[in-house]
Amino acid sequence: MPLYETMLQEKPPIVLEIGTALTKLGFAGEPYPRSIIPSVVLDHEAKNAGLTTPNRKLFDYRDEVELYDWLVEFLKTIFFKYVLVSPKDRKVVIVESVLCPTIIKEKLARALFCHFDVSSVFFVPTHLVVLATLAVETALVVDIGYKEAIVVPVFCGVQALYAWEAQPLAADSVHNEIKRQLLESGVDEKLLTETTVEDIKIRTCFVTTAERAAKYREDGGSSLQPCPDVDYPTKGEAIIKVSGRLRETAYEVMFPEDNDRLGLPYIILNAILKCPRDTRIPLANNLILIGGSTMVQGLTARLKSELLALSRSDLYKDRLFVQTFKFHKAPAEPNFTAWLGGSIYGATDLVLSKSISREAYSKNQTIPDFTNYEETRNASRG
């Protein structure tokens, strides 16, 4: 029987992208996830106290046992509250970064196979599947999520893992900067919950231009016409005054000017610099920004101007030999572009040939690494 006929007769795989802050979930072959939910769980102490609201972040675990228990509870919520299907004998596609800790992959696979009895699990690397949404095979993928910014070059469909770069320049750093400035302005700390700070960031903040950012560093912005202040009402009892300076400078934590040279433009150029010379221009002309933190207004324009300025500086001009930088516009919002790539992969025959089957997992519970994937892992061994 042709392979495509067997695919059409089977139930579509479930596609999961479990992030530090948010989890995207849906079915393979669909253009967008069914739900985007917070990656939070209800711990045992809160459950025994009769609480029902999740109170802990999924990956703030103390030990392996707690991680496994939380993954089981979180997957129960996904399958029976949001996806609304039985996971038994289902295929599952997991969109994971190549830098994801091995312990998380192993516990996730154990929970899916041993607790939920899924038929197979297909781990796909985030930075590679993103390229499927654009039908390109070479790109520099910049993933800015909640905890860190990760840069991974992909050339001819192969991830150049020797050239990856990562720094904690993401949403968490921006939240801390917003909270710091608001506390300095006299705002009550009790009002600044994680939800409130994130909402202030989304509704009021943006990335300013390189010229205005330089002025803020030089004289604190005294020579500039500031953008308007914003009054943010919270809990119906207080108003937080968000200054124009905060609105413009909150994202400057991604562009630090110091001797370490580890800002966002630097790690992008360093990743390109680690690649062979003949791959640098194609990578620079195929930049893809993914992750929720890249959706902020002004980031792409600021990043392009910073990259052009740095490429002409003494630090890079005699080594990089790149004059232009071009950015792709993916056919999905940046916060679920990686999930869409997993959805595309899950709708192909790769989910049959590359997955880890339940039978193979029962014989060998070691989860293979992306860089050393056993081609015939699910084949019977005589």
Side-chain angles (χ1 to χ4, degrees):
M1 182 180 291
L3 192 59
Y4 64 84
E5 288 187 14
T6 63
M7 285 292 293
L8 290 175
Q9 292 172 3
E10 293 184 357
K11 299 174 183 176
I14 300 168
V15 183
L16 303 178
E17 184 192 356
I18 304 177
T20 306
L22 296 172
T23 293
K24 279 72 73 175
L25 51 103
F27 293 98
E30 295 187 343
Y32 46 81
R34 294 286 181 97
S35 299
I36 300 178
I37 61 174
S39 300
V40 291
V41 292
L42 182 67
D43 65 13
H44 295 302
E45 292 82 1
K47 185 182 292 185
N48 294 335
L51 301 178
T52 56
T53 304
N55 62 335
R56 295 289 296 276
K57 292 182 179 179
L58 179 61
F59 297 118
D60 287 349
Y61 55 91
R62 289 187 290 263
D63 52 44
E64 296 181 12
V65 175
E66 190 172 69
L67 172 62
Y68 178 77
D69 291 342
W70 286 2
L71 282 172
V72 168
E73 291 299 321
F74 189 63
L75 290 170
K76 278 183 185 176
T77 304
I78 288 175
F79 290 133
F80 302 120
K81 183 177 179 181
Y82 293 100
V83 182
L84 299 177
V85 297
S86 171
K88 183 176 174 61
D89 296 327
R90 278 272 190 172
K91 294 180 174 64
V92 178
V93 178
I94 304 292
V95 183
E96 280 282 9
S97 169
V98 289
L99 304 180
C100 175
T102 305
I103 183 65
I104 293 177
K105 288 178 61 179
E106 290 179 347
K107 296 301 178 185
L108 184 57
R110 181 184 167 199
L112 288 169
F113 282 121
C114 300
H115 195 93
F116 295 99
D117 205 24
V118 302
S119 63
S120 68
V121 177
F122 183 25
F123 286 97
V124 293
T126 300
H127 301 87
L128 181 60
V129 299
V130 165
L131 274 61
T133 65
L134 293 160
V136 298
E137 58 181 17
T138 297
L140 186 71
V141 183
V142 182
D143 181 7
I144 309 177
Y146 182 76
K147 282 289 186 185
E148 58 188 355
I150 303 173
V151 182
V152 177
V154 182
F155 194 80
C156 292
V158 178
Q159 297 177 103
L161 294 182
Y162 56 83
W164 69 271
E165 293 278 341
Q167 287 295 323
L169 309 171
D172 193 31
S173 301
V174 177
H175 291 179
N176 291 335
E177 175 65 14
I178 293 173
K179 193 171 183 178
R180 183 189 68 80
Q181 291 197 33
L182 289 176
L183 289 174
E184 287 180 356
S185 64
V187 177
D188 186 0
E189 187 173 3
K190 294 179 181 178
L191 298 175
L192 300 178
T193 62
E194 181 74 15
T195 304
T196 300
V197 172
E198 183 174 13
D199 201 41
I200 290 174
K201 178 194 74 173
I202 294 171
R203 292 177 182 271
T204 68
C205 297
F206 58 92
V207 179
T208 190
T209 62
E211 294 76 16
R212 289 181 68 88
K215 288 287 186 182
Y216 274 112
R217 284 194 294 269
E218 290 173 7
D219 55 19
S222 59
S223 60
L224 296 173
Q225 174 69 30
C227 70
D229 298 344
V230 173
D231 290 335
Y232 179 87
T234 175
K235 297 184 178 179
E237 59 189 26
I239 292 180
I240 298 175
K241 188 176 183 63
V242 183
S243 67
R245 185 180 189 280
L246 185 152
R247 295 178 62 197
E248 282 196 82
T249 60
Y251 278 88
E252 290 308 301
V253 293
M254 291 187 178
F255 305 92
E257 288 292 333
D258 52 31
N259 292 330
D260 292 332
R261 293 171 177 164
L262 293 176
L264 188 57
Y266 286 99
I267 64 174
I268 292 174
L269 292 182
N270 290 340
I272 296 175
L273 200 57
K274 289 179 180 178
C275 295
R277 184 171 294 187
D278 60 332
T279 68
R280 294 175 188 172
I281 291 178
L283 289 171
N285 289 330
N286 290 276
L287 271 75
I288 303 176
L289 301 181
I290 64 171
S293 297
T294 64
M295 299 173 70
V296 61
Q297 185 176 1
L299 179 64
T300 304
R302 171 69 180 279
L303 195 54
K304 184 173 183 178
S305 65
E306 294 271 1
L307 289 171
L308 288 170
L310 276 177
S311 65
R312 301 187 187 107
S313 66
D314 294 338
L315 183 62
Y316 291 104
K317 69 178 181 180
D318 294 328
R319 297 190 296 160
L320 196 59
F321 306 109
V322 172
Q323 281 79 40
T324 59
F325 296 91
K326 298 178 182 178
F327 294 82
H328 279 284
K329 172 66 176 172
E333 294 294 338
N335 61 333
F336 66 84
T337 302
W339 182 92
L340 178 60
S343 173
I344 293 171
Y345 268 66
T348 66
D349 59 352
L350 289 174
V351 78
L352 298 176
S353 59
K354 299 288 187 180
S355 296
I356 303 171
S357 66
R358 186 168 52 211
E359 293 75 19
Y361 183 80
S362 65
K363 297 175 184 177
N364 178 11
Q365 297 189 359
T366 303
I367 302 300
D369 189 75
F370 289 119
T371 58
N372 188 26
Y373 207 99
E374 298 176 37
E375 293 290 337
T376 57
R377 177 77 192 280
N378 58 346
S380 60
R381 300 181 180 180

